[in-house]
Amino acid sequence: MSRVLVVGSGIAGLSLALDAVAAGHEVTVVTKGELGQSNTRYAQGGVAAALFPDDSVASHVSDTLAAGAGLCDPEAVRVLCAEGPDRIRELIDLGVAFDTHDGELAHGLEAAHSFPRILHAGGDATGAAISSALVARLRERDVAVHEHAFLLALRTEAGPGTRVVGAEVELDGGARVLLDADAVVLATGGAGQLYPFTSNPAAATGDGVACAARAGARLADVELYQFHPTTLALPGNFLVSEAVRGEGAVLRNAAGERFMADVDGAELAPRDVVARAVFAEMDRQGGVPVVLDATALGAEFLAARFPSIDAAVRAAGLDWAAEPVPVTPAAHYWMGGVATDLWGRTSVPGLLAIGECARTGVHGANRLASNSLLEGAVFADRAARALGDLDSWPTPGSLPGTVLADTPAAPALATSVPFTRAALQQLMWDAVGLVRDGEGLAAAVATLDAWAASAPAATDRASHEDANLLLLARACARAAADRPRSVGAHHRSDDPATARTPQLAAATR
Ligand code: SIN
């Protein structure tokens, strides 16, 4: 039996905790909010899996690889798609009530899938349904849970890169404790708060990835941030699921024209393509949001199939059955993160990472819709199995990415813009957002380095979050500057090949 410390309580953290306790480990869960409060809870569209008669694992693999724009790890994708169906069956056994139609599992279509393989629950409340079921199961088990607890730092045996032996955590109420562990599993989600517009909750500040970087773990693909094309163009950026387009809603510009109609896949083209097209269309119309036209679907269908979105839209005073609603892209999902092998093991012994905070290689440069919950479930299962042999670890250097500590220190430049979280978010949106170029990235790196050079030591939770965001923004901007070619969500307007690729050019003209 090992002492396992799980940080985070989305689908990955909860699944891992359940599997680890079932395997006889002593499990402690630390989570920033209430148990289950995570990005998972906000997931609407669903979870993809090749579970239906005319579908196949090979087809799911092929769609995932195509969306990933050549940067996926094919073996990781094979694992995801092949093991996914069993993980879904387990979720059902644990009490997740996926929606049914005529007594069979209902399954919808989302962008860049060649088959309607997206299971959903509560219409558009898939993540909440999964989270509630897993939280209920975990509450029945013998697991120590610290809610409203904040990860301050990982403890290593002898400095960055050496075995992780626990974590320093600020508990609810402010006490700071050291939690010893034989293995720490990060399941801390993404970092949507790097940007001013995000579908993520306020807690998504990338704490686990930042702590892993300080502990000497390799990070990979951190420049690859996915922007969702359709969030409500209102404060809070409420997500309007791709599944709405999957059911037939279309995008229109201010003139009422369907600007995606001529693009391969139209409104269901890969997410990066649609997001950039929306961004470009907004630019052409002076920043005015485009609209999502779901009026053809009818009030009754919209309320039944998308109850959460229906409520949010109506709470904002809009009637989406009667008129199109304004939508805009927002930061949604981080493809990069802590580099892991196919068992969730990072480059630092004793440290595992699963779910959005991990870079397993399944998403490449653009995650396929509804593969994120699946990744959480599949790699939690694998990481739980890896806990049985904590002496076995990837050989140093076999994982992709870089160790931040190896990056040369930046010269302390001055900047006229003082550091605030809002300033960082705006800089990231402007220079490290949907469309990037070398000049903007170099300027962003210089500003971020200057902020880092003069940053005061973090004291309270907010300043620790700021420090985490700053570390991650620097890593993201630097990696984006180092990747001169456009690929998937990383779109360089100064890449000569961009202009020669019709879909990319369409999004930047
Ligand atoms: C959505 O429902 O559009 C989001 C699904 C996802 O992020 O995969």
Side-chain angles (χ1 to χ4, degrees):
M1 177 174 85
S2 301
R3 295 161 306 163
V4 178
L5 177 61
V6 184
V7 189
S9 63
I11 185 171
L14 293 167
S15 301
L16 182 288
L18 284 166
D19 288 348
V21 80
H25 299 296
E26 182 187 315
V27 179
T28 300
V29 175
V30 164
T31 189
K32 207 172 171 182
E34 282 170 20
L35 195 64
Q37 183 57 251
S38 67
N39 266 353
T40 292
R41 190 164 272 282
Y42 295 82
Q44 294 177 355
V47 52
L51 274 165
F52 303 98
D54 294 330
D55 196 8
S56 67
V57 168
S59 165
H60 191 185
V61 166
S62 148
D63 291 347
T64 302
L65 292 173
L71 288 198
C72 295
D73 172 346
E75 182 53 16
V77 173
R78 192 199 59 74
V79 162
L80 175 80
C81 300
E83 297 182 12
D86 280 348
R87 301 292 83 78
I88 298 291
R89 290 184 195 102
E90 284 167 10
L91 287 172
I92 293 170
D93 290 345
L94 287 166
V96 179
F98 288 109
D99 294 332
T100 54
H101 181 71
D102 292 340
E104 305 288 332
L105 282 174
H107 47 114
L109 184 65
E110 284 183 9
H113 284 274
S114 54
F115 188 86
R117 60 171 72 96
I118 319 298
L119 287 88
H120 46 85
D124 58 0
T126 312
I130 291 174
S131 174
S132 301
L134 296 181
V135 166
R137 297 293 79 77
L138 196 74
R139 296 268 189 218
E140 295 162 2
R141 307 293 199 273
D142 182 18
V143 172
V145 176
H146 297 288
E147 294 176 282
H148 306 287
F150 184 77
L151 175 68
L152 293 164
L154 293 165
R155 269 297 171 95
T156 54
E157 223 162 38
T162 63
R163 180 171 284 277
V164 164
V165 292
E168 209 184 317
V169 171
E170 185 184 272
L171 299 178
D172 193 11
R176 293 187 172 189
V177 296
L178 180 62
L179 300 176
D180 295 326
D182 302 307
V184 175
V185 184
L186 296 174
T188 48
Q193 294 302 325
L194 282 169
Y195 295 93
F197 310 111
T198 178
S199 61
N200 293 184
T205 51
D207 309 320
V209 182
C211 288
R214 293 190 192 100
R218 279 176 178 264
L219 306 188
D221 292 348
V222 286
E223 70 278 30
L224 303 175
Y225 219 105
Q226 180 171 76
F227 295 84
H228 197 288
T230 57
T231 66
L232 273 188
L234 294 170
N237 290 94
F238 192 86
L239 184 68
V240 183
S241 175
E242 211 154 55
V244 179
R245 279 172 280 133
E247 296 288 358
V250 297
L251 289 160
R252 297 189 190 281
N253 61 19
E257 297 155 351
R258 272 188 68 191
F259 57 91
M260 289 304 296
D262 295 336
V263 175
D264 195 15
E267 278 85 357
L268 292 178
R271 194 172 281 178
D272 61 317
V273 174
V274 183
R276 272 195 304 278
V278 170
F279 187 71
E281 202 65 28
M282 285 176 62
D283 195 41
R284 274 195 284 278
Q285 51 192 44
V288 175
V290 303
V291 292
L292 182 71
D293 185 351
T295 54
L297 302 184
E300 207 177 315
F301 177 81
L302 288 171
R305 174 71 177 86
F306 301 111
S308 315
I309 305 171
D310 191 66
V313 165
R314 291 185 186 281
L318 303 169
D319 179 359
W320 66 331
E323 55 185 356
V325 291
V327 290
T328 183
H332 183 61
Y333 187 90
W334 205 4
M335 271 80 69
V338 186
T340 71
D341 68 1
L342 298 182
W343 301 94
R345 297 175 301 191
T346 74
S347 59
V348 176
L351 182 67
L352 299 96
I354 50 176
E356 187 174 351
C357 72
R359 183 277 184 199
T360 56
V362 294
H363 305 308
N366 178 49
R367 175 174 65 81
L368 184 66
S370 288
N371 267 357
S372 54
L373 294 174
L374 192 70
E375 183 197 25
V378 166
F379 286 90
D381 168 77
R382 296 191 134 234
R385 286 190 267 154
L387 294 173
D389 179 12
L390 287 175
D391 289 331
S392 136
W393 224 253
T395 49
S398 64
L399 292 173
T402 50
V403 177
L404 250 57
D406 295 346
T407 309
L413 301 173
T415 171
S416 56
V417 186
F419 173 71
T420 60
R421 190 183 297 194
L424 176 144
Q425 291 171 331
Q426 195 59 49
L427 180 72
M428 289 294 286
W429 185 260
D430 293 341
V432 201
L434 284 94
V435 178
R436 302 136 181 217
D437 64 39
E439 204 181 318
L441 288 168
V445 168
T447 301
L448 291 162
D449 284 351
W451 283 340
S454 58
T459 49
D460 57 1
R461 283 192 192 198
S463 59
H464 273 280
E465 287 182 343
D466 285 349
N468 291 341
L469 289 170
L470 183 52
L471 179 149
L472 299 174
R474 291 177 78 203
C476 185
R478 207 174 281 278
D482 287 348
R483 193 190 281 277
R485 309 307 298 263
S486 292
V487 58
H490 172 68
H491 184 75
R492 293 277 302 239
S493 58
D494 55 351
D495 172 7
T498 296
R500 292 197 298 272
T501 310
Q503 276 185 359
L504 297 179
T508 47
R509 58 174 193 257

